[in-house]
Amino acid sequence: IAEKQLSGAVTYQDVKDIVKRILEEKELDCKAEDYGCEKSKEEAENYIKELRTELKEVDNYDEYLAFIAGTGMNEEVYWQTKVESYRRQLMRNEYMEKMYHEFLSGKENLISEEGSGMAGQEKAQIKEDSQRKIDFMRDLRENIIKESEIEIIGNLGLYIRSN
């Protein structure tokens, strides 16, 4: 979308996708909190510290510095504005990981209940299947709005269902 913004070709669907993504993140925040996936400001600050260290090693570090300069803030101020966003992202990540492990646990129980006779190596493959994890995480994000009490309708009107 950033490229489209530069060219001025942002579509209605682009805006709808952005709104959907924001709603997904807000709903994931709620689910993460309900599930006990709390993260502290200090944990987010430590994560940012590690991220900043890694950024110094990238080939296009000068582009990163130019981006920071373009915000009108110095690097310290910029990263302080990101602490809450990263805190919430860490909560969402923990929640999604827990949901994925519950999903895998259910698969393993199903396998043992069916008596399929899978070897330990094959069961380990279930855990290591990165595509399965990618698919699960994508489905979790896509279904979060469907399961919430929010619908995106019409010209980005939001409808809150009452149960």
Side-chain angles (χ1 to χ4, degrees), residues 58-69:
V58 298
D59 292 336
N60 59 345
Y61 185 67
D62 56 333
E63 291 176 28
Y64 157 74
L65 293 176
F67 168 78
I68 297 292

Side-chain angles (χ1 to χ4, degrees), residues 4 7 9 16 22-23 32 34 51 59 73-74 78 103 108 117 134 142 147 150 152 155:
K4 290 182 181 182
S7 69
K16 191 174 178 180
I22 291 168
L23 291 173
D34 291 347
L51 180 61
D59 292 336
M73 297 180 253
N74 68 36
Y78 171 79
F103 166 76
E108 289 174 350
I134 291 167
E142 287 177 359
E147 294 171 2
I150 299 171
I152 303 171
N155 292 324

Side-chain angles (χ1 to χ4, degrees), residues 98-125:
K98 285 182 175 184
M99 293 297 96
Y100 181 64
H101 289 292
E102 283 186 19
F103 166 76
L104 286 180
S105 179
K107 287 286 186 192
E108 289 174 350
N109 290 340
L110 181 64
I111 289 166
S112 61
E113 287 171 12
E114 291 176 353
S116 65
M118 287 181 92
Q121 192 174 47
E122 290 172 296
K123 288 182 182 178
Q125 181 61 38

Side-chain angles (χ1 to χ4, degrees), residues 17-27 145:
D17 290 345
I18 291 169
V19 169
K20 182 180 179 202
R21 180 65 181 225
I22 291 168
L23 291 173
E24 286 172 353
E25 289 181 357
K26 293 296 182 191
E27 190 64 22
I145 293 295

Side-chain angles (χ1 to χ4, degrees), residues 25 29 84-94:
E25 289 181 357
D29 287 348
E84 181 59 18
S85 294
Y86 277 98
R87 187 187 72 78
R88 288 191 322 269
Q89 183 61 48
L90 290 169
M91 286 172 46
R92 289 188 295 267
N93 289 350
E94 181 180 338

Side-chain angles (χ1 to χ4, degrees), residues 22-68:
I22 291 168
L23 291 173
E24 286 172 353
E25 289 181 357
K26 293 296 182 191
E27 190 64 22
L28 280 170
D29 287 348
C30 291
K31 293 213 182 264
E33 287 174 3
D34 291 347
Y35 206 77
C37 301
E38 289 292 326
K39 294 295 178 183
S40 68
K41 178 180 176 184
E42 291 76 25
E43 288 173 291
E45 288 171 339
N46 289 337
Y47 180 80
I48 287 172
K49 184 178 177 181
E50 291 174 23
L51 180 61
R52 289 177 68 181
T53 300
E54 291 173 12
L55 282 170
K56 291 178 181 177
E57 305 298 321
V58 298
D59 292 336
N60 59 345
Y61 185 67
D62 56 333
E63 291 176 28
Y64 157 74
L65 293 176
F67 168 78
I68 297 292

